[in-house]
Amino acid sequence: MVIVPGPAAPDPPPPELYSPGALFSWPELQAMASDGVLTQLSQQGYLTPGTRPTPQLRARAASILIRPAIRQRVVAGRMTAAWIYGCAAEPDRLALLVDASRRISSLRSTRGCTLHEVRLGPYDVVSLGGLMVSSPLRTSVDIALHVDPERAVPALRSLLARPELGLRLRLLMLAVEAAPRMPHKRAALAKLERVQAGPAP
């Protein structure tokens, strides 16, 4: 007897992310969160209780704050990317990377965001939840080079502690050492040495 498998079950729809708009205003969303009907994921993103925050959901929440006209021209990076990966608190302002080959002047008016003109390689960017995000390795290198130690060291420890991100401290050190003539390279390596030493007792 031949058993013919039935049709595969369709993938479940992605969890709903609520943000201020035509359906609910911001005060309404805040009221529902205070009543326990929703839980707050980000500045303007809300989920139903019990929904597990994922990098895709955090990326969708971050994209709410970026004008649609420029969303495909910027990359969420640094501490914003660390938050998207679940390895840092949500920053007050989005850190957005703009490839040096693009004109940054037309993006200057972007509110609530800090723009950084950088060079991005083909493996520096991934797509999550409809938003371009710096890869885990690029995120870690940028945090080591450009973020103050008090925020950088805990974020780097958290990034390295997540096996799904595929990071290794030795790889991160090699990537920082390979950065061309960066003025903050020595400070970045000092941060990585603190990460390697582990948290203070």
Side-chain angles (χ1 to χ4, degrees), residues 7-53:
D11 291 333
E16 192 67 51
L17 178 72
Y18 298 95
S19 60
L23 191 58
F24 298 113
S25 67
W26 199 355
E28 287 173 325
L29 290 169
Q30 290 174 313
M32 285 190 283
S34 66
D35 290 341
V37 177
L38 296 175
T39 58
Q40 189 168 14
L41 172 68
S42 63
Q43 292 178 39
Q44 295 189 27
Y46 294 81
L47 302 171
T48 55
T51 303
R52 186 175 68 87

Side-chain angles (χ1 to χ4, degrees), residues 4 16 24 41 79 90 125 131 166 171-172 179:
V4 179
E16 192 67 51
F24 298 113
L41 172 68
M79 294 302 287
E90 183 188 16
V125 179
L131 182 67
L171 175 64
L172 183 49

Side-chain angles (χ1 to χ4, degrees), residues 41-45 57-68 70-71 74-84 89-98 107-108 110-117 131-134 147 151:
L41 172 68
S42 63
Q43 292 178 39
Q44 295 189 27
L57 280 171
R58 292 189 194 93
R60 283 171 56 196
S63 71
I64 294 168
L65 304 175
I66 305 171
R67 286 187 291 121
I70 69 163
R71 204 171 284 157
V74 297
V75 176
R78 301 189 183 183
M79 294 302 287
T80 299
W83 171 68
I84 287 172
E90 183 188 16
D92 293 333
R93 296 172 65 85
L94 297 181
L96 301 179
L97 312 181
V98 183
L107 307 178
R108 292 285 184 198
T110 304
R111 293 180 180 176
C113 305
T114 304
L115 298 173
H116 306 278
E117 189 171 351
L131 182 67
M132 290 188 290
V133 181
S134 59
V147 177
R151 293 183 302 146

Side-chain angles (χ1 to χ4, degrees), residues 77 87 90 122 146 168 199:
C87 297
E90 183 188 16
H146 302 294
R168 297 288 182 274

